Amino acid sequence: MEKIKKFRFSLNGIVLTAAFLGIVLIGTVVNENFLTMKNILSIFQQMSEMGIMALGLTIVIITGGNDLASGTTMGLCAVVSGLCLTSGMPIPLALLISLAAAVACGCLNASLVALIGIPPMIATLGTQMFFYGAALVLSKGNSISNIPREFYFLGQDKLAGLPLQAVILILLTIVLAVILKKKVFGKHLFAIGNNIKASAYSGIRTVKVLFLAYITCSVLCCIAGNIQVSRVATARADMGYSFLMPCISAVVLGGTSIDGGSGGVGGTVVGVLIFAMISNIMNLAGISSFWQQLATGSILVLVVVFNKITENSKLHLKKMAGKKAASE
């Protein structure tokens, strides 16, 4: 088993490193401003919201599930926050109400998946449209502007020369990495992803763990939504809607199995960084958003194919290990 894990880690590490270096090289050739400090900080600033959402998706995908509603959860929380802020509500209270909405979204997703037993893809596809509709109703289909300037700090300030949202992304990544590696909750996430029935028989409270996983994902989407509201000084129902596919691609590219049971947040952040650099290079080169969508879709297909190949390789190694053990 240890050999299988090392194989997967090394293969993922090679692919991620090669992709990262290749994109840096292409960016340097395409535009001389690519490696300037101003552009690098811009990439960090723009990737942070998608990165924070991708962290939440990583937690859910490790369990063998998915959250297709993560993008619309972000939009709904952004609208709730925007409405509270423009009504004159204090910033801490507005953020708490937005977080409460996120927890409600996570509980609904988890109830459908863990209690009723609906497949995650179907359950969250339904809640995706429900949350988007709720955001449209609350905002009446309009953008919410006139966000108080005091709220701009979250998406526009810097800390030690880095955009504040990038610092938040780094801190969240460290915290989640420790939880996945060292804490019982992290071990239970992986166990459920490998075999949820066996996990239940072994005494793991699978329903509780799944609830915490989906709530964590929704809360992280809420944080990302509030950062974007602060950065662009506007709240809209469609905030985060376009993040879903790149986030899932980044999670899988970063080494998290789409079938669950393996992965980590470090690789996810690198995957998000790769997608952010690709988008940045295309913008610097003046390539239209239509081609950017095509590139993102192509990468998603390649990532899924790569993930399937590594899963098949892992299964082959497991069979070989089993045969060797039986012969001994």
Side-chain angles (χ1 to χ4, degrees):
M1 183 62 69
E2 190 65 30
K3 182 178 178 182
I4 294 169
K5 289 181 179 178
K6 286 182 179 179
F7 167 79
R8 182 176 179 80
F9 174 79
S10 60
L11 185 57
N12 262 1
I14 290 169
V15 171
L16 277 177
T17 302
F20 178 80
L21 294 176
I23 291 167
V24 170
L25 180 61
I26 292 170
T28 306
V29 172
V30 168
N31 194 294
E32 59 183 11
N33 294 320
F34 179 72
L35 287 181
T36 60
M37 184 56 66
K38 181 180 179 181
N39 190 58
I40 291 171
L41 291 177
S42 176
I43 291 173
F44 285 154
Q45 186 178 45
Q46 293 171 12
M47 70 170 277
S48 297
E49 294 130 28
M50 192 169 79
I52 293 170
M53 181 195 286
L55 292 178
L57 275 166
T58 303
I59 300 299
V60 170
I61 292 174
I62 283 174
T63 68
N66 211 324
D67 186 1
L68 299 183
S70 56
T72 53
T73 299
M74 178 176 165
L76 176 58
C77 292
V79 166
V80 169
S81 181
L83 289 172
C84 290
L85 289 167
T86 53
S87 70
M89 192 176 292
I91 291 174
L93 183 57
L95 290 174
L96 281 175
I97 292 174
S98 181
L99 285 171
V103 172
C105 291
C107 286
L108 178 57
N109 287 332
S111 297
L112 296 174
V113 173
L115 295 180
I116 301 178
I118 300 173
M121 296 282 282
I122 303 300
T124 57
L125 182 63
T127 56
Q128 177 191 65
M129 300 310 299
F130 177 76
F131 297 155
Y132 185 52
L136 287 172
V137 169
L138 289 173
S139 65
K140 298 179 181 177
N142 300 318
S143 296
I144 301 169
S145 54
N146 298 320
I147 303 296
R149 293 190 66 85
E150 294 79 12
F151 190 65
Y152 292 1
F153 76 96
L154 196 59
Q156 299 183 26
D157 281 4
K158 290 184 179 180
L159 184 63
L162 284 174
L164 181 58
Q165 60 263 58
V167 175
I168 294 172
L169 172 61
I170 293 168
L171 291 176
L172 287 172
T173 303
I174 293 170
V175 169
L176 290 174
V178 170
I179 290 173
L180 290 176
K181 292 284 186 181
K182 304 292 184 182
K183 302 300 180 180
V184 173
F185 174 60
K187 294 176 181 178
H188 287 176
L189 289 172
F190 287 110
I192 289 173
N194 280 308
N195 193 319
I196 188 169
K197 289 184 178 179
S199 298
Y201 289 139
S202 67
I204 295 174
R205 298 170 67 182
T206 55
V207 171
K208 178 182 177 181
V209 174
L210 287 173
F211 261 83
L212 288 174
Y214 280 94
I215 289 172
T216 299
C217 182
S218 294
V219 167
L220 289 170
C221 291
C222 175
I223 294 171
N226 278 286
I227 289 173
Q228 191 168 34
V229 169
S230 175
R231 181 168 65 85
V232 302
T234 304
R236 301 190 316 274
D238 62 351
M239 277 183 164
Y241 203 91
S242 62
F243 286 2
L244 179 63
M245 288 300 106
C247 280
I248 293 176
S249 302
V251 171
V252 179
L253 179 62
T256 299
S257 171
I258 200 70
D259 296 322
S262 64
V265 291
T268 293
V269 173
V270 177
V272 171
L273 177 58
I274 287 172
F275 276 92
M277 289 194 300
I278 291 171
S279 179
N280 181 259
I281 291 169
M282 288 185 168
N283 287 332
L284 290 174
I287 298 173
S288 75
S289 59
F290 304 127
W291 285 100
Q292 292 185 34
Q293 287 292 324
L294 179 61
T296 301
S298 301
I299 294 170
L300 176 58
V301 172
L302 291 173
V303 165
V304 171
V305 170
F306 167 73
N307 185 263
K308 190 62 180 178
I309 290 171
T310 54
E311 287 298 322
N312 290 339
S313 300
K314 185 171 71 171
L315 183 61
H316 177 69
L317 283 175
K318 190 181 290 186
K319 288 181 179 179
M320 293 293 289
K323 288 180 181 179
K324 184 178 180 181
S327 63
E328 292 175 351

